[in-house]
């Protein structure tokens, strides 16, 4: 397995757009492709939402933070965090959203997802945000349990459109400050 000393987790730069594009498409497909969703819905979503153009624009937006988790050889996973108006829900300026958190399938269950989650919390604290939140598909039980284990609690729901399928996401949050 990969040694901790061989791993880096750094904010991605515009030069890494192709690497980010490849891992974004690969991990989205392996997580939510058939049989979980239809091939046509998944392709429609990926082709509309995970493009080099979109990723390049996002990498130059100071409200959006992409982090790439890498070994010496390859990308293992990535994290996308949104702040201020770039969040997918209008929750104001005191929150930070985990929009995407992905570990490639063959590297899951080795505490790498936890590293990404800790990075999100660290940035939220650094930016003095009140809470970190995310939307997780109601059928993604594995991820829901992963978040619950880290102290996230459900607080609302929103809609997520995957191709032609209208799905329900559970919104979960973790307080970063004592109320
Ligand atoms: C969700 C995901 C990021 C978790 O990453 P991971 O590397 O597999 O998880 P980790 O090994 O870091 O697990 C961290 C902790 O959560 C626990 N955990 C992980 N999956 C769990 C599950 N299904 N149920 C309960 N606990 C779980 C682990 O036991 C570990 O606990 P510990 O700290 O006490 O040892 C990863 O599985 C993934 O990329 N999934 C596909 C994409 C996805 O669904 N992303 C979320 C979209 S909202």
């Amino acid at each position: 397995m990969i040694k901790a000393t061989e791993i880096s987790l750094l904010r991605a730069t515009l030069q890494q757009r192709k690497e980010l594009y490849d891992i974004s498409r690969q991990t989205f497909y392996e997580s939510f492709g058939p049989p979980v969703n239809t091939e046509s819905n998944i392709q429609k979503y990926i082709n509309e939402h995970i493009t080099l153009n979109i990723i390049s624009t996002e990498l130059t937006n100071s409200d959006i933070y992409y982090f790439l988790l890498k070994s010496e050889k390859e990308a293992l996973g990535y994290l996308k965090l949104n702040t201020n108006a770039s969040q997918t829900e209008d929750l104001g300026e005191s929150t930070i959203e985990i929009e995407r958190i992905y570990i490639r399938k063959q590297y899951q269950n080795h505490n790498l997802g936890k590293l990404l989650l800790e990075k999100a919390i660290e940035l939220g604290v650094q930016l003095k945000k009140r809470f970190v939140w995310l939307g997780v598909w109601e059928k993604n039980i594995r991820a829901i349990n992963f978040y619950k284990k880290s102290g996230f609690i459900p607080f609302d729901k929103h809609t997520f459109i995957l191709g032609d399928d209208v799905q329900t996401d559970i919104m979960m949050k973790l307080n970063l400050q004592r109320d």
Side-chain angles (χ1 to χ4, degrees), residues 27 82-83 120-121 148:
T27 53
N82 299 328
T83 60
I121 293 167
K148 277 190 180 156

Side-chain angles (χ1 to χ4, degrees), residues 31 101-103 109-111 113-114 140 142 145 147 149:
S31 304
I101 177 164
Y102 286 87
I103 297 294
N109 296 314
H110 292 89
N111 283 318
K114 202 169 162 187
N140 192 354
R142 184 189 149 76
N145 288 335
Y147 299 131
K149 186 154 190 185

Side-chain angles (χ1 to χ4, degrees), residues 47-165:
N47 291 330
E48 284 172 8
H49 297 275
I50 310 182
T51 68
L52 260 180
N53 261 345
I54 293 174
I55 289 176
S56 302
T57 306
E58 288 175 339
L59 282 167
T60 57
N61 180 342
S62 58
D63 284 340
I64 297 177
Y65 298 76
Y66 271 108
F67 289 91
L68 256 178
L69 182 71
K70 296 184 70 171
S71 70
E72 284 171 356
K73 288 197 309 231
E74 57 187 342
L76 308 173
Y78 80 103
L79 174 69
K80 182 186 179 201
L81 304 174
N82 299 328
T83 60
N84 303 324
S86 70
Q87 295 174 98
T88 62
E89 290 287 339
D90 183 12
L91 294 181
E93 299 197 347
S94 65
T95 59
I96 182 166
E97 175 186 16
I98 300 177
E99 189 189 348
R100 300 205 187 118
I101 177 164
Y102 286 87
I103 297 294
R104 288 171 63 198
K105 217 172 197 101
Q106 73 262 44
Y107 297 113
Q108 288 176 8
N109 296 314
H110 292 89
N111 283 318
L112 296 176
K114 202 169 162 187
L115 276 184
L116 297 183
L117 208 50
E118 284 167 359
K119 176 55 79 177
I121 293 167
E122 180 191 303
L123 185 68
V125 169
Q126 196 183 317
L127 297 175
K128 300 192 166 44
K129 301 298 184 187
R130 224 160 28 91
F131 62 84
V132 53
W133 72 279
L134 53 89
V136 53
W137 188 22
E138 61 181 351
K139 294 188 180 166
N140 192 354
I141 303 301
R142 184 189 149 76
I144 293 171
N145 288 335
F146 166 74
Y147 299 131
K148 277 190 180 156
K149 186 154 190 185
S150 296
F152 281 75
I153 51 162
F155 72 103
D156 208 338
K157 287 182 177 183
H158 71 184
T159 293
F160 180 87
I161 314 279
L162 188 111
D164 301 327
D165 192 18

